[in-house]
């Protein structure tokens, strides 16, 4: 049996220590441009393997009002940067961190994890910065504000309409993180925040704070982000919340108990300060009813990986495994057979495949939770109560190892704890189900989770199951032999996908591509005329003023072009020969263009020109053929064919400069250039719109 507590270790791990650990270093907080080192009310952090005291954490004495003020005065400079400036700074910071990753790996050893576990936190975290940076550069305009809509017309004459505009909140985001991912947990939150143009105050969990500290310190040293845009409080937040206002945001990852207590903070309530929470989640894995041998292996492999990676200390880890009744014994045997090969011990030893929990406190917490689970289920492998697992450690009492543990509950419909208690370690409960309705009921008893996996045979239709469980989950991972080799796995939150879940999981949504950036921005419906909309959104809006010139717009450099610059082209009458020639050239002999009899019976009543011919003919009308500052046409967006063009119709094109985005020069050889978006409207002789689209061109700059 594992020794969980003796009088020495209890005394050693007493929460607050100001005297016995006086010689230890104290982590500084990085606030208002200073390294603030607290002198009182320090908490000691212990090495997860040796149990030795390694550093102290405290924030007593920090002027939290000054921290908020500093963020809003200095750090708010980031709101004046454009999306691409923010994204480039984040990428440079990521490069700086990556070059120093070994320093972080060295510190991670104290948290008990293996190098593979640390990779998730360190390189997974830095990778999230890269991913967010490139997403924003790719998807968003190089502007300060984000215009969500093209134009919502609200009047008959077209002189009144609206656009939704997102602007950075004029506040600060306070991010309170859990101990299990001291780096990733911070970076996945600050990436969308900083990209939104909002400064951050980060408060890491006391355990593991050294890693967060090292990364924030490195980001400061890199100098890529504005001063004050990222501050760090190592220790407690004290009265920080009291200094927040309605423009601020608080996010939290940790236990439901703490999260609920913080969410109910009277000041947050009184000022409607958004509070986003990610808490205990009793995630599921489901083996489908027709599982075959291969599927069972995939299922067992996934549970095994979730139990042993980070010693099960992942908010996404599988806690409940639902198995068709007839297959439960088989799953149990295969899982235990795999777990018997796990070498638990100090990650410094070569053969070790699973490390320790983050602290003795966590070990005690997991043991207590396993005892709660055992009120509903039988412990069939591992735990602190059996002797199935040998742990390779010098001092079991002082270290934070906990064995892989499997419970089995034969009557999950009569159980409560297994659906509500999260043992935050290498612990899973296996349970049977008999039919789809029962399975859906059991999954829902988790009252909302971050993720569920469905492991299926290739020929099984799981749509019915999916529809039943999706309302309870932020993410569903469907695994089968087709995706198994390339799947990113049950437990990996990805920057592009929603990370968060309803109910017990907290109701938050930390990640999810650009959606996460929007959490830190205010969406405002701005109403007005096309001219004022063009002015505030930096994008020409239909109906706004246009500028015509004798010089063709394609002869103008990026810098010479004005938004609203318009070319009205010559006309062209579409003939039968045009249609036949285009059909032969393209090979598109669709009946609506080429077959007089079928076309007569069609929607159009007669032959019509190919839509792609209209697009090509339009280019023929608006292009200026001579070499000039336009480097290339690189795409087309929002193409719609509105009315058919029939033989004898005459078309004309309006080309309007809609938007200009300067591009960063990647190397000195490259010509300075920018992207110009042109609004194209093709009309017929009755001034009816026949086609509309945007074209994107690269245009040289004069620099
Ligand atoms: P916790 O006690 O809820 O702590 C989470 C974070 O909140 C830490 O940074 C903690 O700081 C901070 N905190 C605690 N009390 C606070 C207060 N009054 N004001 C401001 N901040 C406060 O959770 P934990 O001890 O880290 O983990 C306990 C359990 O939470 C785990 O066993 C697990 O069940 C669950 N958990 C869930 C997730 C998830 O993502 N779903 C992740 C980790 C843990 P200090 O560390 O300085 O106290």
């Amino acid at each position: 049996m594992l020794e969980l507590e003796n009088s020495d270790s209890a005394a050693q791990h007493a929460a607050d220590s100001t005297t016995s650990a006086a010689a230890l270093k104290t982590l500084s907080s990085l606030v208002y441009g200073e390294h603030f080192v607290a002198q009182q009310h320090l908490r000691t952090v212990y090495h997860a393997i040796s149990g030795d005291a390694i550093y102290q954490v405290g924030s007593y004495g920090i002027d939290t009002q000054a921290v908020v003020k500093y963020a809003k005065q200095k750090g708010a400079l980031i709101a004046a940067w454009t999306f691409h400036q923010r994204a480039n700074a984040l990428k440079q910071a990521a490069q700086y961190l990556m070059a120093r990753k070994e320093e972080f790996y060295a510190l991670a050893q104290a948290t008990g994890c293996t190098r593979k576990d640390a990779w998730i936190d360190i390189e997974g975290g830095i990778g999230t910065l890269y991913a967010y940076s490139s997403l924003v550069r790719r998807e968003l305009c190089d502007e300060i504000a984000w215009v969500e809509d093209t134009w919502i017309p609200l009047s008959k004459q077209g002189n009144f309409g609206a656009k939704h505009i997102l602007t950075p909140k004029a506040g600060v985001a306070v991010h309170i993180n859990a101990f299990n991912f001291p780096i990733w947990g911070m970076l996945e939150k600050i990436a969308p925040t900083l990209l939104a143009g909002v400064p951050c105050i980060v408060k890491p969990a006391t355990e593991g704070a050294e890693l967060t500290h090292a990364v924030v310190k490195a980001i400061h040293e890199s100098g890529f982000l504005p001063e004050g845009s990222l501050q760090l409080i190592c220790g407690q937040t004290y009265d920080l919340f009291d200094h927040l206002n309605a423009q601020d945001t608080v996010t939290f990852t940790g236990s439901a108990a703490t999260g609920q207590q913080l969410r109910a903070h009277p000041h947050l309530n009184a000022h409607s300060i958004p509070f986003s929470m990610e808490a205990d989640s009793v995630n599921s894995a489901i083996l489908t009813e027709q599982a075959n041998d291969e599927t069972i292996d995939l299922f067992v492999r996934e549970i095994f990986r979730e139990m042993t990676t980070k010693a099960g200390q992942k908010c996404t880890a599988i806690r409940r495994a639902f198995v068709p009744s007839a297959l439960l014994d088989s799953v149990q045997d295969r899982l235990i057979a795999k777990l018997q090969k796990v070498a638990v011990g100090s990650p410094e030893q070569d053969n070790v495949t699973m490390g320790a929990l983050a602290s003795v406190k966590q070990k005690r917490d997991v043991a207590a939770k396993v005892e709660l689970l055992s009120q509903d289920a039988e412990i069939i492998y591992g735990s602190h109560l059996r002797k199935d697992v040998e742990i390779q450690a010098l001092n079991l009492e002082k270290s934070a190892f906990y064995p892989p543990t499997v419970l089995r509950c034969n009557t999950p419909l009569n159980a409560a704890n297994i659906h509500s208690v999260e043992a935050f370690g290498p612990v899973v409960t296996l349970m049977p189900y008999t039919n789809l309705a029962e399975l859906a009921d059991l999954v829902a008893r988790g009252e909302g989770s971050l993720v569920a996996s469905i492991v299926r045979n290739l020929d099984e239709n799981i749509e019915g199951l999916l529809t039943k469980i999706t309302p309870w989950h932020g993410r569903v991972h469907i695994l089968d032999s087709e995706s198994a080799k390339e799947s990113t796995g049950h437990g990996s939150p990805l920057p592009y996908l929603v990370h968060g879940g309803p109910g017990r999981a907290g109701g938050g949504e930390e990640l999810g591509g650009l959606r996460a950036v929007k959490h830190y921005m205010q969406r405002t419906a701005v109403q007005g005329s096309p001219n004022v909309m063009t002015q505030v959104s930096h994008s020409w809006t239909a109906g706004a003023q246009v500028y015509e010139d004798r010089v063709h717009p394609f002869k103008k450099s990026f810098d010479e072009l004005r938004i609203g610059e318009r070319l009205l082209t010559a006309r062209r009458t579409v003939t039968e020969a045009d249609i036949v020639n285009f059909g032969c050239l393209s090979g598109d002999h669709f009946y609506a263009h080429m077959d007089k009899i079928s076309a007569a019976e069609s929607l159009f009543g007669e032959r019509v020109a190919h839509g792609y011919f209209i697009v090509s003919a339009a280019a023929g009308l608006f292009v200026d053929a001579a070499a000039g500052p336009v480097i290339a046409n690189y795409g087309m967006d929002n193409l719609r064919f509105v009315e058919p063009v029939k033989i004898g119709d005459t078309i004309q094109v309006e080309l309007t400069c809609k938007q200009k985005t300067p591009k960063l020069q990647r190397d000195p050889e490259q010509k300075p250039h920018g992207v110009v978006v042109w609004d194209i409207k093709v009309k017929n002789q009755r001034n009816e719109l026949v086609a509309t689209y945007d074209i994107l061109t690269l245009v040289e700059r004069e620099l």
Side-chain angles (χ1 to χ4, degrees), residues 43 177 179 203 205-206 237 253 255 258 278-279 315 365 422:
R43 284 196 276 173
N177 291 325
F179 66 87
K203 184 252 173 288
T206 293
T237 47
T253 305
S255 65
T258 310
E278 203 215 295
C315 49
D365 185 67
E422 184 190 33

Side-chain angles (χ1 to χ4, degrees), residues 510-587:
E510 286 178 358
L511 294 174
L514 293 179
R515 292 176 196 88
V517 178
K518 293 184 180 181
H519 296 325
Y520 305 98
M521 307 191 82
Q522 177 59 43
R523 177 182 292 106
T524 310
V526 180
Q527 295 174 284
S529 67
N531 275 321
V532 78
M533 257 354 135
T534 299
Q535 185 188 91
V536 298
S537 64
H538 303 166
S539 171
W540 183 79
T541 305
Q545 190 177 352
V546 292
Y547 309 93
E548 282 170 301
D549 195 342
R550 286 162 67 190
V551 180
H552 191 286
F554 280 22
K555 287 204 182 311
K556 296 189 178 180
S557 72
F558 180 89
D559 305 277
E560 285 171 315
L561 280 168
R562 299 168 73 179
I563 292 194
E565 184 123 12
R566 155 76 54 91
L567 172 77
L568 183 64
T569 67
R571 297 190 183 88
R572 171 172 178 165
T573 300
V574 176
T575 64
E576 183 183 10
D578 287 333
I579 297 176
V580 173
N581 285 338
F582 190 81
C584 293
L585 188 66
S586 63

Side-chain angles (χ1 to χ4, degrees), residues 43 57 176-181 203-207 234-238 241 252-259 261-262 278-281 313-316 319 361-362 365-366 369 422-425 450 499 504-505 510:
R43 284 196 276 173
V57 176
I176 300 176
N177 291 325
F179 66 87
N180 54 334
F181 287 112
K203 184 252 173 288
T206 293
E207 284 154 12
C234 290
Q236 287 161 266
T237 47
Y238 293 107
F241 285 8
F252 168 84
T253 305
S255 65
T258 310
Q261 183 203 333
L262 296 182
E278 203 215 295
D280 309 357
S281 173
Q313 299 170 108
K314 290 200 306 183
C315 49
T316 48
R319 309 293 177 199
K361 177 173 161 264
Q362 279 308 308
D365 185 67
V366 171
K369 300 280 174 58
E422 184 190 33
F424 207 66
L450 296 172
H499 177 55
R504 191 187 305 285
E510 286 178 358

